[in-house]
């Protein structure tokens, strides 16, 4: 199996393709200073393979490289960030409590 993670900017999403078929996606909304991560979804046949986590990490790494603040509106993404505190700094401190993240991280 050959999995590829990529951004599809014209569709405002990150996707994972496995052997040429899309198996997971993460939708976002982007403006000049921030990216809102809206919705992660994995094809039910591929749930449990870590694809949503791979998409989340890629989106957050891209946000860091671009200097963007992150609004994790997707419950999966905010939960993932809570489990990976090295990404909490991407969420504006005044927004962290709203997403269930530690304010002082």
């Amino acid at each position: 199996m050959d999995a590829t993670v990529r951004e599809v900017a014209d569709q405002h999403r990150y996707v994972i393709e496995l052997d040429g078929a899309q198996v997971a996606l993460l939708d976002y909304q982007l403006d000049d200073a921030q990216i809102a991560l809206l919705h992660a979804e994995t094809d039910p046949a591929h749930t449990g393979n870590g694809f949503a986590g791979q998409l989340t990490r890629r989106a957050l790494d891209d946000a860091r490289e671009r200097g963007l603040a992150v609004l994790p509106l997707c419950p999966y993404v905010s939960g993932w960030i809570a489990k990976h505190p090295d990404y909490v700094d991407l969420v504006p401190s005044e927004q962290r409590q709203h997403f269930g993240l530690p304010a002082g991280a």
Side-chain angles (χ1 to χ4, degrees):
M1 287 193 216
D2 188 25
T4 304
V5 181
R6 66 184 180 94
E7 180 181 12
V8 184
D10 63 334
Q11 294 180 18
H12 308 284
R13 65 178 38 162
Y14 289 87
V15 300
I16 290 187
E17 295 171 344
L18 185 63
D19 297 328
Q22 183 177 299
V23 297
L25 63 87
L26 175 58
D27 289 324
Y28 66 82
Q29 183 176 358
L30 180 67
D31 71 23
D32 292 335
Q34 68 185 16
I35 186 168
L37 301 176
L38 306 172
H39 174 74
E41 184 176 323
T42 301
D43 182 292
H46 297 282
T47 300
N49 291 317
F51 292 137
Q54 289 178 41
L55 288 172
T56 299
R57 184 180 301 275
R58 170 67 183 273
L60 295 173
D61 287 344
D62 283 356
R64 190 179 303 284
E65 286 180 23
R66 297 176 186 181
L68 298 172
V70 173
L71 299 178
L73 298 174
C74 171
Y76 175 85
V77 174
S78 60
W80 192 95
I81 292 172
K83 293 176 185 172
H84 299 85
D86 48 321
Y87 287 95
V88 170
D89 66 301
L90 294 172
V91 180
S93 58
E94 67 276 5
Q95 295 284 330
R96 292 177 191 162
Q97 185 175 8
H98 175 73
F99 297 111
L101 299 170

